[in-house]
Amino acid sequence: MPQLDSGPRHTPRFTLRPFRRRDTAAVYDAVKESLPELRKWLPWAAGNYTRPTAQHYVRDSISAWNEGRAWDFAIRRPEDPGRHVGNVSIWFTSTPNLVGEIGYWVRTSETGRSVCTEATARALQIAFEELRLHRVALRIAVGNLGSERVAEKLGFRFEGTLREEVKVGHEWLDHTVWGLLEREWWVERERYREQAWA
Ligand SMILES: CC(C)(COP(=O)(O)OP(=O)(O)OC[C@H]1O[C@@H](n2cnc3c(N)ncnc32)[C@H](O)[C@@H]1OP(=O)(O)O)[C@@H](O)C(=O)NCCC(=O)NCCS
């Protein structure tokens, strides 16, 4: 499986780094604050979310990184490194085809400030330049207009709709699929710089 360097990566405003065991409390605080928003779209947030849930996530994230299953990055501000701002993750959906996916969430008190766009721009650089992916997809539940806007800002192309692909709480939601190809990334990355996201 592909491996990634575990050192921190930087954006103009944030640090992206792998999770550590002592992150549990900070993750729990951020998720707890954001549950009303997260629950609308993310199945893992729809159930009971406790400190052990956060601890399980952090432990699994560390194992996933070491096994090359997925790379979860904690988004932090260098001047306030103990406060969890959000997550951005990359994983392969097909290793032989060099195809992967990205997912993200941002704590509610930090939304609307381009945190997600800036962090995901950096994650895309990791995906294309370090993991050498050919294609990165984003799956967004229909109705999640904030996330669709992130996809549009980053230059993802809308590709279609997967019907009733995810069950969130008791409801089946459709997913839209968005894709960015490596050759498109090399063009978009210049625009990210102009926007000060990279
Ligand atoms: C979706 C989410 C990640 C966006 O994070 P963020 O840091 O606020 O994103 P950004 O600020 O980079 O960009 C959000 C854009 O969506 C816009 N937006 C937000 N809510 C919107 C809404 N209801 N309708 C239309 N546009 C909306 C913002 O204005 C902004 O666009 P702009 O920069 O052109 O003004 C965050 O709201 C979140 O974590 N939501 C809950 C979990 C989730 O949905 N995760 C993604 C699953 S695919």
Side-chain angles (χ1 to χ4, degrees):
M1 271 309 271
Q3 295 294 322
L4 264 192
D5 184 286
S6 61
R9 276 74 166 178
H10 304 281
T11 77
R13 292 180 294 166
F14 303 102
T15 302
L16 269 55
R17 62 148 177 86
F19 283 87
R20 303 169 187 149
R21 275 172 177 262
R22 60 180 177 276
D23 287 332
T24 298
V27 170
Y28 178 72
D29 285 350
V31 171
K32 206 70 188 156
E33 168 196 299
S34 312
L35 276 177
E37 284 305 312
L38 301 176
R39 277 196 172 130
K40 292 184 201 164
W41 315 113
L42 301 171
W44 59 262
N48 193 21
Y49 195 90
T50 61
R51 257 172 215 279
T53 319
Q55 185 178 48
H56 181 268
Y57 171 78
V58 168
R59 286 185 178 167
D60 184 60
S61 174
I62 294 167
S63 307
W65 185 293
N66 293 333
E67 294 159 16
R69 263 191 290 127
W71 296 277
D72 298 321
F73 290 89
I75 308 168
R76 301 290 173 96
R77 280 199 177 73
E79 67 276 17
D80 191 5
R83 178 178 157 85
H84 191 66
V85 178
N87 282 35
V88 60
S89 303
I90 312 167
W91 62 95
F92 275 80
T93 50
S94 168
T95 312
N97 289 306
L98 297 174
V99 171
E101 199 164 317
I102 278 188
Y104 43 66
W105 63 269
V106 169
R107 76 186 293 160
T108 300
S109 54
E110 299 273 2
T111 55
R113 300 172 185 165
S114 286
V115 174
C116 186
T117 305
E118 185 171 319
T120 305
R122 189 67 184 83
L124 286 167
Q125 185 179 6
I126 298 166
F128 288 114
E129 297 186 21
E130 295 188 52
L131 292 168
R132 300 272 164 202
L133 285 169
H134 174 66
R135 164 188 159 78
V136 172
L138 261 177
R139 281 182 301 152
I140 302 174
V142 167
N144 190 346
L145 301 179
S147 189
E148 283 187 5
R149 183 76 193 114
V150 170
E152 284 167 357
K153 286 200 288 182
L154 290 169
F156 277 81
R157 276 53 160 181
F158 172 81
E159 295 179 335
T161 305
L162 303 172
R163 295 174 307 142
E164 301 197 5
E165 210 216 0
V166 62
K167 195 174 188 189
V168 180
H170 298 293
E171 205 185 343
W172 286 101
L173 301 180
D174 294 347
H175 261 156
T176 55
V177 180
W178 302 69
L180 188 68
L181 303 179
E182 187 193 358
R183 61 177 174 274
E184 294 162 348
W185 148 257
W186 289 108
V187 178
E188 297 296 345
R189 109 194 247 269
E190 294 312 311
R191 196 174 54 82
Y192 299 170
R193 291 220 175 102
E194 287 159 21
Q195 299 281 347
W197 299 327

PDB file of all heavy atoms in Angstrom, residues 130-156:
ATOM      1  N   GLU A 130       1.782  13.775  -3.942  1.00  0.00           N
ATOM      2  CA  GLU A 130       2.464  12.781  -3.092  1.00  0.00           C
ATOM      3  C   GLU A 130       1.930  11.374  -3.353  1.00  0.00           C
ATOM      4  O   GLU A 130       2.704  10.443  -3.510  1.00  0.00           O
ATOM      5  CB  GLU A 130       2.314  13.147  -1.615  1.00  0.00           C
ATOM      6  CG  GLU A 130       3.006  14.455  -1.254  1.00  0.00           C
ATOM      7  CD  GLU A 130       3.017  14.693   0.246  1.00  0.00           C
ATOM      8  OE1 GLU A 130       3.445  13.816   1.000  1.00  0.00           O
ATOM      9  OE2 GLU A 130       2.579  15.784   0.673  1.00  0.00           O
ATOM     10  N   LEU A 131       0.617  11.216  -3.380  1.00  0.00           N
ATOM     11  CA  LEU A 131       0.039   9.889  -3.609  1.00  0.00           C
ATOM     12  C   LEU A 131      -0.060   9.561  -5.101  1.00  0.00           C
ATOM     13  O   LEU A 131      -0.360   8.432  -5.465  1.00  0.00           O
ATOM     14  CB  LEU A 131      -1.341   9.785  -2.951  1.00  0.00           C
ATOM     15  CG  LEU A 131      -1.329   9.814  -1.422  1.00  0.00           C
ATOM     16  CD1 LEU A 131      -2.738  10.012  -0.864  1.00  0.00           C
ATOM     17  CD2 LEU A 131      -0.718   8.528  -0.862  1.00  0.00           C
ATOM     18  N   ARG A 132       0.144  10.558  -5.934  1.00  0.00           N
ATOM     19  CA  ARG A 132       0.164  10.375  -7.398  1.00  0.00           C
ATOM     20  C   ARG A 132      -1.161   9.861  -7.947  1.00  0.00           C
ATOM     21  O   ARG A 132      -1.184   9.048  -8.881  1.00  0.00           O
ATOM     22  CB  ARG A 132       1.301   9.416  -7.804  1.00  0.00           C
ATOM     23  CG  ARG A 132       2.663   9.926  -7.397  1.00  0.00           C
ATOM     24  CD  ARG A 132       3.212  10.801  -8.464  1.00  0.00           C
ATOM     25  NE  ARG A 132       4.328  11.603  -7.997  1.00  0.00           N
ATOM     26  CZ  ARG A 132       4.727  12.728  -8.577  1.00  0.00           C
ATOM     27  NH1 ARG A 132       4.100  13.204  -9.609  1.00  0.00           N
ATOM     28  NH2 ARG A 132       5.756  13.394  -8.116  1.00  0.00           N
ATOM     29  N   LEU A 133      -2.247  10.321  -7.348  1.00  0.00           N
ATOM     30  CA  LEU A 133      -3.557   9.907  -7.852  1.00  0.00           C
ATOM     31  C   LEU A 133      -3.808  10.479  -9.240  1.00  0.00           C
ATOM     32  O   LEU A 133      -3.299  11.548  -9.597  1.00  0.00           O
ATOM     33  CB  LEU A 133      -4.656  10.365  -6.889  1.00  0.00           C
ATOM     34  CG  LEU A 133      -4.762   9.541  -5.608  1.00  0.00           C
ATOM     35  CD1 LEU A 133      -5.679  10.224  -4.605  1.00  0.00           C
ATOM     36  CD2 LEU A 133      -5.295   8.156  -5.925  1.00  0.00           C
ATOM     37  N   HIS A 134      -4.601   9.749 -10.010  1.00  0.00           N
ATOM     38  CA  HIS A 134      -5.008  10.223 -11.343  1.00  0.00           C
ATOM     39  C   HIS A 134      -6.332  10.967 -11.261  1.00  0.00           C
ATOM     40  O   HIS A 134      -6.595  11.873 -12.042  1.00  0.00           O
ATOM     41  CB  HIS A 134      -5.158   9.017 -12.284  1.00  0.00           C
ATOM     42  CG  HIS A 134      -5.712   9.403 -13.617  1.00  0.00           C
ATOM     43  ND1 HIS A 134      -5.021  10.202 -14.503  1.00  0.00           N
ATOM     44  CD2 HIS A 134      -6.906   9.135 -14.198  1.00  0.00           C
ATOM     45  CE1 HIS A 134      -5.762  10.401 -15.580  1.00  0.00           C
ATOM     46  NE2 HIS A 134      -6.905   9.778 -15.415  1.00  0.00           N
ATOM     47  N   ARG A 135      -7.168  10.565 -10.289  1.00  0.00           N
ATOM     48  CA  ARG A 135      -8.500  11.149 -10.177  1.00  0.00           C
ATOM     49  C   ARG A 135      -8.900  11.174  -8.709  1.00  0.00           C
ATOM     50  O   ARG A 135      -8.644  10.219  -7.966  1.00  0.00           O
ATOM     51  CB  ARG A 135      -9.470  10.263 -10.971  1.00  0.00           C
ATOM     52  CG  ARG A 135     -10.919  10.463 -10.704  1.00  0.00           C
ATOM     53  CD  ARG A 135     -11.780   9.403 -11.401  1.00  0.00           C
ATOM     54  NE  ARG A 135     -13.062   9.333 -10.742  1.00  0.00           N
ATOM     55  CZ  ARG A 135     -14.045  10.218 -10.938  1.00  0.00           C
ATOM     56  NH1 ARG A 135     -13.907  11.182 -11.830  1.00  0.00           N
ATOM     57  NH2 ARG A 135     -15.169  10.140 -10.272  1.00  0.00           N
ATOM     58  N   VAL A 136      -9.527  12.280  -8.298  1.00  0.00           N
ATOM     59  CA  VAL A 136     -10.060  12.392  -6.933  1.00  0.00           C
ATOM     60  C   VAL A 136     -11.547  12.705  -7.028  1.00  0.00           C
ATOM     61  O   VAL A 136     -11.949  13.592  -7.788  1.00  0.00           O
ATOM     62  CB  VAL A 136      -9.326  13.490  -6.128  1.00  0.00           C
ATOM     63  CG1 VAL A 136     -10.014  13.731  -4.792  1.00  0.00           C
ATOM     64  CG2 VAL A 136      -7.867  13.104  -5.892  1.00  0.00           C
ATOM     65  N   ALA A 137     -12.344  11.976  -6.266  1.00  0.00           N
ATOM     66  CA  ALA A 137     -13.791  12.213  -6.256  1.00  0.00           C
ATOM     67  C   ALA A 137     -14.223  12.796  -4.925  1.00  0.00           C
ATOM     68  O   ALA A 137     -13.544  12.645  -3.901  1.00  0.00           O
ATOM     69  CB  ALA A 137     -14.527  10.896  -6.503  1.00  0.00           C
ATOM     70  N   LEU A 138     -15.347  13.478  -4.987  1.00  0.00           N
ATOM     71  CA  LEU A 138     -16.029  13.990  -3.784  1.00  0.00           C
ATOM     72  C   LEU A 138     -17.463  13.522  -3.899  1.00  0.00           C
ATOM     73  O   LEU A 138     -18.054  13.646  -4.970  1.00  0.00           O
ATOM     74  CB  LEU A 138     -16.062  15.518  -3.850  1.00  0.00           C
ATOM     75  CG  LEU A 138     -15.094  16.380  -3.110  1.00  0.00           C
ATOM     76  CD1 LEU A 138     -15.366  17.846  -3.445  1.00  0.00           C
ATOM     77  CD2 LEU A 138     -15.232  16.173  -1.621  1.00  0.00           C
ATOM     78  N   ARG A 139     -18.023  12.962  -2.834  1.00  0.00           N
ATOM     79  CA  ARG A 139     -19.438  12.597  -2.849  1.00  0.00           C
ATOM     80  C   ARG A 139     -20.160  13.491  -1.856  1.00  0.00           C
ATOM     81  O   ARG A 139     -19.744  13.586  -0.694  1.00  0.00           O
ATOM     82  CB  ARG A 139     -19.616  11.116  -2.505  1.00  0.00           C
ATOM     83  CG  ARG A 139     -19.304  10.241  -3.711  1.00  0.00           C
ATOM     84  CD  ARG A 139     -19.525   8.782  -3.412  1.00  0.00           C
ATOM     85  NE  ARG A 139     -18.685   8.359  -2.313  1.00  0.00           N
ATOM     86  CZ  ARG A 139     -18.999   7.361  -1.484  1.00  0.00           C
ATOM     87  NH1 ARG A 139     -20.116   6.706  -1.637  1.00  0.00           N
ATOM     88  NH2 ARG A 139     -18.184   7.027  -0.517  1.00  0.00           N
ATOM     89  N   ILE A 140     -21.200  14.139  -2.330  1.00  0.00           N
ATOM     90  CA  ILE A 140     -21.885  15.154  -1.515  1.00  0.00           C
ATOM     91  C   ILE A 140     -23.383  14.852  -1.507  1.00  0.00           C
ATOM     92  O   ILE A 140     -23.992  14.688  -2.575  1.00  0.00           O
ATOM     93  CB  ILE A 140     -21.637  16.564  -2.114  1.00  0.00           C
ATOM     94  CG1 ILE A 140     -20.129  16.854  -2.181  1.00  0.00           C
ATOM     95  CG2 ILE A 140     -22.382  17.623  -1.323  1.00  0.00           C
ATOM     96  CD1 ILE A 140     -19.770  18.158  -2.881  1.00  0.00           C
ATOM     97  N   ALA A 141     -23.964  14.796  -0.315  1.00  0.00           N
ATOM     98  CA  ALA A 141     -25.405  14.526  -0.232  1.00  0.00           C
ATOM     99  C   ALA A 141     -26.182  15.670  -0.894  1.00  0.00           C
ATOM    100  O   ALA A 141     -25.838  16.848  -0.726  1.00  0.00           O
ATOM    101  CB  ALA A 141     -25.823  14.361   1.222  1.00  0.00           C
ATOM    102  N   VAL A 142     -27.221  15.292  -1.631  1.00  0.00           N
ATOM    103  CA  VAL A 142     -28.048  16.305  -2.296  1.00  0.00           C
ATOM    104  C   VAL A 142     -28.648  17.221  -1.234  1.00  0.00           C
ATOM    105  O   VAL A 142     -29.173  16.741  -0.229  1.00  0.00           O
ATOM    106  CB  VAL A 142     -29.153  15.619  -3.142  1.00  0.00           C
ATOM    107  CG1 VAL A 142     -30.214  16.625  -3.576  1.00  0.00           C
ATOM    108  CG2 VAL A 142     -28.531  14.941  -4.355  1.00  0.00           C
ATOM    109  N   GLY A 143     -28.510  18.518  -1.444  1.00  0.00           N
ATOM    110  CA  GLY A 143     -29.010  19.491  -0.474  1.00  0.00           C
ATOM    111  C   GLY A 143     -27.904  20.127   0.349  1.00  0.00           C
ATOM    112  O   GLY A 143     -28.117  21.161   0.973  1.00  0.00           O
ATOM    113  N   ASN A 144     -26.709  19.532   0.335  1.00  0.00           N
ATOM    114  CA  ASN A 144     -25.592  20.091   1.102  1.00  0.00           C
ATOM    115  C   ASN A 144     -24.916  21.195   0.277  1.00  0.00           C
ATOM    116  O   ASN A 144     -23.874  21.011  -0.337  1.00  0.00           O
ATOM    117  CB  ASN A 144     -24.603  18.978   1.472  1.00  0.00           C
ATOM    118  CG  ASN A 144     -23.570  19.453   2.474  1.00  0.00           C
ATOM    119  OD1 ASN A 144     -23.427  20.653   2.709  1.00  0.00           O
ATOM    120  ND2 ASN A 144     -22.851  18.509   3.069  1.00  0.00           N
ATOM    121  N   LEU A 145     -25.567  22.353   0.278  1.00  0.00           N
ATOM    122  CA  LEU A 145     -25.151  23.429  -0.626  1.00  0.00           C
ATOM    123  C   LEU A 145     -23.781  23.990  -0.273  1.00  0.00           C
ATOM    124  O   LEU A 145     -23.024  24.383  -1.161  1.00  0.00           O
ATOM    125  CB  LEU A 145     -26.201  24.545  -0.622  1.00  0.00           C
ATOM    126  CG  LEU A 145     -27.608  24.102  -1.060  1.00  0.00           C
ATOM    127  CD1 LEU A 145     -28.577  25.279  -1.007  1.00  0.00           C
ATOM    128  CD2 LEU A 145     -27.590  23.508  -2.463  1.00  0.00           C
ATOM    129  N   GLY A 146     -23.446  24.015   1.020  1.00  0.00           N
ATOM    130  CA  GLY A 146     -22.127  24.512   1.421  1.00  0.00           C
ATOM    131  C   GLY A 146     -21.024  23.638   0.851  1.00  0.00           C
ATOM    132  O   GLY A 146     -20.022  24.138   0.312  1.00  0.00           O
ATOM    133  N   SER A 147     -21.210  22.331   0.929  1.00  0.00           N
ATOM    134  CA  SER A 147     -20.198  21.412   0.411  1.00  0.00           C
ATOM    135  C   SER A 147     -20.123  21.464  -1.119  1.00  0.00           C
ATOM    136  O   SER A 147     -19.032  21.396  -1.697  1.00  0.00           O
ATOM    137  CB  SER A 147     -20.509  19.992   0.890  1.00  0.00           C
ATOM    138  OG  SER A 147     -19.447  19.145   0.584  1.00  0.00           O
ATOM    139  N   GLU A 148     -21.278  21.611  -1.765  1.00  0.00           N
ATOM    140  CA  GLU A 148     -21.266  21.753  -3.235  1.00  0.00           C
ATOM    141  C   GLU A 148     -20.473  22.989  -3.643  1.00  0.00           C
ATOM    142  O   GLU A 148     -19.743  22.990  -4.624  1.00  0.00           O
ATOM    143  CB  GLU A 148     -22.689  21.896  -3.771  1.00  0.00           C
ATOM    144  CG  GLU A 148     -23.429  20.592  -3.820  1.00  0.00           C
ATOM    145  CD  GLU A 148     -24.773  20.718  -4.510  1.00  0.00           C
ATOM    146  OE1 GLU A 148     -25.108  21.800  -5.032  1.00  0.00           O
ATOM    147  OE2 GLU A 148     -25.495  19.702  -4.518  1.00  0.00           O
ATOM    148  N   ARG A 149     -20.632  24.034  -2.862  1.00  0.00           N
ATOM    149  CA  ARG A 149     -19.920  25.288  -3.168  1.00  0.00           C
ATOM    150  C   ARG A 149     -18.408  25.080  -3.029  1.00  0.00           C
ATOM    151  O   ARG A 149     -17.626  25.599  -3.821  1.00  0.00           O
ATOM    152  CB  ARG A 149     -20.439  26.376  -2.220  1.00  0.00           C
ATOM    153  CG  ARG A 149     -19.876  27.718  -2.433  1.00  0.00           C
ATOM    154  CD  ARG A 149     -20.463  28.427  -3.659  1.00  0.00           C
ATOM    155  NE  ARG A 149     -19.614  29.580  -3.942  1.00  0.00           N
ATOM    156  CZ  ARG A 149     -18.871  29.726  -5.036  1.00  0.00           C
ATOM    157  NH1 ARG A 149     -18.907  28.840  -5.996  1.00  0.00           N
ATOM    158  NH2 ARG A 149     -18.106  30.785  -5.179  1.00  0.00           N
ATOM    159  N   VAL A 150     -17.993  24.311  -2.011  1.00  0.00           N
ATOM    160  CA  VAL A 150     -16.566  24.006  -1.844  1.00  0.00           C
ATOM    161  C   VAL A 150     -16.069  23.290  -3.104  1.00  0.00           C
ATOM    162  O   VAL A 150     -15.021  23.645  -3.670  1.00  0.00           O
ATOM    163  CB  VAL A 150     -16.324  23.136  -0.588  1.00  0.00           C
ATOM    164  CG1 VAL A 150     -14.886  22.628  -0.545  1.00  0.00           C
ATOM    165  CG2 VAL A 150     -16.642  23.926   0.681  1.00  0.00           C
ATOM    166  N   ALA A 151     -16.833  22.298  -3.564  1.00  0.00           N
ATOM    167  CA  ALA A 151     -16.446  21.543  -4.764  1.00  0.00           C
ATOM    168  C   ALA A 151     -16.303  22.480  -5.964  1.00  0.00           C
ATOM    169  O   ALA A 151     -15.319  22.410  -6.715  1.00  0.00           O
ATOM    170  CB  ALA A 151     -17.480  20.458  -5.049  1.00  0.00           C
ATOM    171  N   GLU A 152     -17.265  23.364  -6.118  1.00  0.00           N
ATOM    172  CA  GLU A 152     -17.222  24.303  -7.257  1.00  0.00           C
ATOM    173  C   GLU A 152     -16.017  25.238  -7.152  1.00  0.00           C
ATOM    174  O   GLU A 152     -15.317  25.476  -8.133  1.00  0.00           O
ATOM    175  CB  GLU A 152     -18.498  25.152  -7.288  1.00  0.00           C
ATOM    176  CG  GLU A 152     -19.705  24.411  -7.793  1.00  0.00           C
ATOM    177  CD  GLU A 152     -21.008  25.175  -7.520  1.00  0.00           C
ATOM    178  OE1 GLU A 152     -20.954  26.263  -6.882  1.00  0.00           O
ATOM    179  OE2 GLU A 152     -22.047  24.660  -7.899  1.00  0.00           O
ATOM    180  N   LYS A 153     -15.797  25.758  -5.935  1.00  0.00           N
ATOM    181  CA  LYS A 153     -14.668  26.708  -5.760  1.00  0.00           C
ATOM    182  C   LYS A 153     -13.342  26.044  -6.111  1.00  0.00           C
ATOM    183  O   LYS A 153     -12.443  26.676  -6.649  1.00  0.00           O
ATOM    184  CB  LYS A 153     -14.622  27.222  -4.304  1.00  0.00           C
ATOM    185  CG  LYS A 153     -15.706  28.232  -3.988  1.00  0.00           C
ATOM    186  CD  LYS A 153     -15.368  29.084  -2.751  1.00  0.00           C
ATOM    187  CE  LYS A 153     -15.457  28.335  -1.460  1.00  0.00           C
ATOM    188  NZ  LYS A 153     -15.163  29.195  -0.293  1.00  0.00           N
ATOM    189  N   LEU A 154     -13.236  24.730  -5.798  1.00  0.00           N
ATOM    190  CA  LEU A 154     -11.967  24.034  -6.052  1.00  0.00           C
ATOM    191  C   LEU A 154     -11.856  23.528  -7.488  1.00  0.00           C
ATOM    192  O   LEU A 154     -10.828  22.954  -7.862  1.00  0.00           O
ATOM    193  CB  LEU A 154     -11.808  22.882  -5.055  1.00  0.00           C
ATOM    194  CG  LEU A 154     -11.543  23.329  -3.610  1.00  0.00           C
ATOM    195  CD1 LEU A 154     -11.666  22.148  -2.655  1.00  0.00           C
ATOM    196  CD2 LEU A 154     -10.157  23.970  -3.474  1.00  0.00           C
ATOM    197  N   GLY A 155     -12.901  23.712  -8.283  1.00  0.00           N
ATOM    198  CA  GLY A 155     -12.828  23.329  -9.698  1.00  0.00           C
ATOM    199  C   GLY A 155     -13.222  21.895  -9.990  1.00  0.00           C
ATOM    200  O   GLY A 155     -12.963  21.382 -11.082  1.00  0.00           O
ATOM    201  N   PHE A 156     -13.851  21.209  -9.009  1.00  0.00           N
ATOM    202  CA  PHE A 156     -14.366  19.865  -9.285  1.00  0.00           C
ATOM    203  C   PHE A 156     -15.470  19.973 -10.330  1.00  0.00           C
ATOM    204  O   PHE A 156     -16.223  20.939 -10.359  1.00  0.00           O
ATOM    205  CB  PHE A 156     -14.959  19.247  -8.010  1.00  0.00           C
ATOM    206  CG  PHE A 156     -13.945  18.609  -7.110  1.00  0.00           C
ATOM    207  CD1 PHE A 156     -13.185  19.383  -6.234  1.00  0.00           C
ATOM    208  CD2 PHE A 156     -13.749  17.236  -7.126  1.00  0.00           C
ATOM    209  CE1 PHE A 156     -12.261  18.790  -5.393  1.00  0.00           C
ATOM    210  CE2 PHE A 156     -12.809  16.643  -6.292  1.00  0.00           C
ATOM    211  CZ  PHE A 156     -12.061  17.418  -5.422  1.00  0.00           C
TER     212      PHE A 156
END
